[in-house]
Amino acid sequence: CSQYYFYPRPFCPNCHSRNVEWRTVSGKGTLHSYVIAHRGHPAFDAPYVIAIVKLDEGPKMMTNITGVADPTPDKLPADAPVEIVYEDVNENVTLPKFKLV
Protein backbone atom coordinates (compact mmCIF):
# COMPACT_ATOMS: atom_id res chain seq x y z
CA CYS A 1 0.00 0.00 0.00
CA SER A 2 3.12 2.24 0.12
CA GLN A 3 2.13 3.82 3.45
CA TYR A 4 4.89 4.90 5.82
CA TYR A 5 4.56 3.82 9.45
CA PHE A 6 6.49 4.01 12.68
CA TYR A 7 7.42 2.08 14.90
CA PRO A 8 9.09 -0.66 12.80
CA ARG A 9 7.26 -3.98 12.74
CA PRO A 10 7.20 -7.05 10.48
CA PHE A 11 3.85 -6.18 8.86
CA CYS A 12 2.11 -3.07 7.58
CA PRO A 13 -0.48 -1.81 10.11
CA ASN A 14 -2.50 -0.33 7.21
CA CYS A 15 -2.86 -3.27 4.82
CA HIS A 16 -1.35 -6.09 6.98
CA SER A 17 1.11 -7.13 4.27
CA ARG A 18 4.33 -8.78 5.38
CA ASN A 19 6.06 -7.45 2.26
CA VAL A 20 7.65 -4.46 4.04
CA GLU A 21 10.96 -2.62 3.67
CA TRP A 22 12.98 0.12 5.35
CA ARG A 23 12.67 3.54 3.72
CA THR A 24 14.65 6.71 4.27
CA VAL A 25 12.53 9.75 5.14
CA SER A 26 13.29 13.47 4.89
CA GLY A 27 13.83 14.10 8.60
CA LYS A 28 11.39 17.01 8.44
CA GLY A 29 8.03 17.36 10.09
CA THR A 30 5.88 19.39 12.45
CA LEU A 31 5.46 19.59 16.19
CA HIS A 32 2.22 17.70 16.87
CA SER A 33 2.10 17.72 20.69
CA TYR A 34 4.46 18.02 23.65
CA VAL A 35 4.93 18.33 27.38
CA ILE A 36 7.63 20.34 29.13
CA ALA A 37 9.10 18.20 31.91
CA HIS A 38 10.38 20.21 34.86
CA ARG A 39 11.29 17.28 37.03
CA GLY A 40 14.86 16.06 36.71
CA HIS A 41 15.92 12.78 35.16
CA PRO A 42 19.49 11.40 35.09
CA ALA A 43 19.52 11.44 31.28
CA PHE A 44 18.18 14.99 30.82
CA ASP A 45 18.70 18.44 32.26
CA ALA A 46 15.35 19.92 33.33
CA PRO A 47 13.37 21.46 31.83
CA TYR A 48 13.23 19.31 28.68
CA VAL A 49 10.65 18.81 25.97
CA ILE A 50 9.03 15.41 25.35
CA ALA A 51 7.27 15.66 22.00
CA ILE A 52 5.27 13.89 19.35
CA VAL A 53 6.52 14.91 15.90
CA LYS A 54 4.52 14.23 12.76
CA LEU A 55 6.94 13.46 9.94
CA ASP A 56 6.23 14.96 6.51
CA GLU A 57 5.76 11.39 5.26
CA GLY A 58 2.91 10.80 7.73
CA PRO A 59 4.02 8.77 10.77
CA LYS A 60 4.23 10.26 14.25
CA MET A 61 7.06 9.52 16.63
CA MET A 62 7.92 10.33 20.23
CA THR A 63 11.15 12.27 20.63
CA ASN A 64 12.70 15.31 22.28
CA ILE A 65 12.86 18.89 21.02
CA THR A 66 16.31 20.38 21.53
CA GLY A 67 17.81 23.83 21.18
CA VAL A 68 15.02 25.72 22.96
CA ALA A 69 16.50 27.66 25.88
CA ASP A 70 14.04 27.82 28.79
CA PRO A 71 11.20 26.07 26.91
CA THR A 72 7.76 27.63 27.31
CA PRO A 73 4.52 27.14 25.34
CA ASP A 74 4.98 30.43 23.48
CA LYS A 75 8.34 29.17 22.16
CA LEU A 76 6.80 25.85 21.00
CA PRO A 77 3.76 26.59 18.82
CA ALA A 78 1.68 23.68 17.58
CA ASP A 79 2.49 22.70 13.98
CA ALA A 80 5.89 24.44 14.14
CA PRO A 81 8.27 23.02 11.51
CA VAL A 82 11.04 20.79 12.86
CA GLU A 83 13.99 18.85 11.49
CA ILE A 84 15.97 15.93 12.81
CA VAL A 85 19.25 16.16 14.69
CA TYR A 86 21.19 13.20 16.04
CA GLU A 87 22.67 12.91 19.51
CA ASP A 88 25.45 10.40 20.03
CA VAL A 89 24.89 9.01 23.52
CA ASN A 90 27.87 6.68 23.24
CA GLU A 91 29.65 4.76 20.47
CA ASN A 92 26.74 2.30 20.20
CA VAL A 93 23.68 4.52 20.73
CA THR A 94 22.52 7.51 18.66
CA LEU A 95 19.17 9.14 19.41
CA PRO A 96 17.02 10.98 16.86
CA LYS A 97 15.85 14.31 18.26
CA PHE A 98 14.32 17.34 16.59
CA LYS A 99 14.91 21.10 16.56
CA LEU A 100 12.67 23.94 15.48
CA VAL A 101 13.44 25.47 12.06
Side-chain angles (χ1 to χ4, degrees):
C1 69
S2 300
Q3 295 291 314
Y4 288 84
Y5 60 88
F6 186 82
Y7 64 90
R9 58 200 106 170
F11 63 91
C12 175
N14 301 299
C15 70
H16 307 291
S17 171
R18 291 192 176 276
N19 185 20
V20 297
E21 63 184 26
W22 285 95
R23 293 189 184 170
T24 302
V25 296
S26 66
K28 297 179 181 184
T30 55
L31 182 58
H32 179 72
S33 180
Y34 65 91
V35 63
I36 301 169
H38 292 276
R39 197 160 194 171
H41 182 280
F44 302 100
D45 294 326
Y48 55 95
V49 182
I50 304 166
I52 302 293
V53 166
K54 182 174 183 189
L55 299 174
D56 286 351
E57 292 78 11
K60 294 176 187 163
M61 64 182 289
M62 183 178 278
T63 185
N64 293 105
I65 302 296
T66 64
V68 180
D70 189 31
T72 58
D74 61 315
K75 293 179 182 175
L76 296 160
D79 296 325
V82 294
E83 68 182 6
I84 200 163
V85 293
Y86 295 98
E87 180 182 314
D88 292 327
V89 176
N90 60 41
E91 65 181 41
N92 297 316
V93 177
T94 300
L95 295 177
K97 297 185 177 185
F98 286 79
K99 68 176 183 176
L100 299 174
V101 286

